[in-house]
Amino acid sequence: MTRLYFAALFSLLMACQDPPKQKAEPPQRPQFTAAELEKGQALYKKYGCAVCHGRNGRGNGQIARTLNPRPRDFHDPTVYKYGRSVAAVSRTILKGALNERGMGMPGYPQIPEGERKAIAAFIVSLQGKN
Ligand code: HEC
């Protein structure tokens, strides 16, 4: 037991002497200007995403409860089925998210690419936020 303790202490001391290790880079979160995000949020409202996804993207829009699958919380980076990058989210908006039973979200091919990107940027900016 004591030996184990010393072994642990020793390795702890050794660890302290290690030169500062390069930490693994956290995944780069793309940076957007406040103006871009505001535009994305305005478009998110304009196109009615909030009815299902909630005004703040919490997955709690007025009709969310009636949906199966349920829209999820965009703040949680682990719940994205179709990818969580701006490109992936923009593509999901274009193609929709219908499962094999045809349930979920229809696509929005009518939204121009630039606007889809802006909405996607807004959604990505929510990831990891409280
Ligand atoms: C009629 C309700 C409804 C509307 C309106 C709607 N969605 Fe969805 N959306 C859903 C549902 C339900 C899912 C989950 C589908 C699934 O789990 O396969 C979903 C999934 C998504 C996803 C995929 C998340 C993932 O898992 O990868 C994104 C992104 C998304 N929606 C964005 C939007 C945007 C942006 C708008 C507005 C342009 C919008 N949605 C409008 C119901 C809706």
Side-chain angles (χ1 to χ4, degrees):
M1 189 65 201
T2 3
R3 220 184 314 156
L4 231 148
Y5 174 74
F6 277 118
L9 195 69
F10 183 68
S11 50
L12 201 80
L13 284 171
M14 291 309 286
C16 292
Q17 285 165 0
D18 270 352
K21 277 200 201 97
Q22 206 69 41
K23 270 207 198 125
E25 281 286 308
Q28 283 281 308
R29 187 192 286 221
Q31 293 298 313
F32 306 103
T33 64
E36 282 170 321
L37 295 180
E38 243 165 62
K39 181 182 164 205
Q41 186 167 22
L43 290 166
Y44 176 91
K45 269 195 203 139
K46 173 182 160 187
Y47 287 112
C49 315
V51 178
C52 297
H53 290 283
R55 203 162 46 90
N56 300 312
R58 287 286 183 191
N60 59 355
Q62 286 105 306
I63 68 164
R65 232 173 306 161
T66 67
L67 301 172
N68 179 20
R70 284 273 278 276
R72 296 167 295 277
D73 186 350
F74 287 140
H75 294 67
D76 181 348
T78 66
V79 299
Y80 289 75
K81 286 188 198 166
Y82 304 97
R84 63 190 192 89
S85 67
V86 172
V89 170
S90 173
R91 186 170 183 280
T92 306
I93 300 169
L94 172 68
K95 302 273 183 191
L98 295 174
N99 65 16
E100 55 294 335
R101 288 176 297 132
M103 307 290 284
M105 181 179 94
Y108 286 80
Q110 71 274 29
I111 303 181
E113 187 181 358
E115 293 194 352
R116 272 191 281 115
K117 287 257 161 66
I119 301 171
F122 164 63
I123 291 177
V124 168
S125 78
L126 301 175
Q127 293 169 5
K129 250 197 205 170
N130 267 326

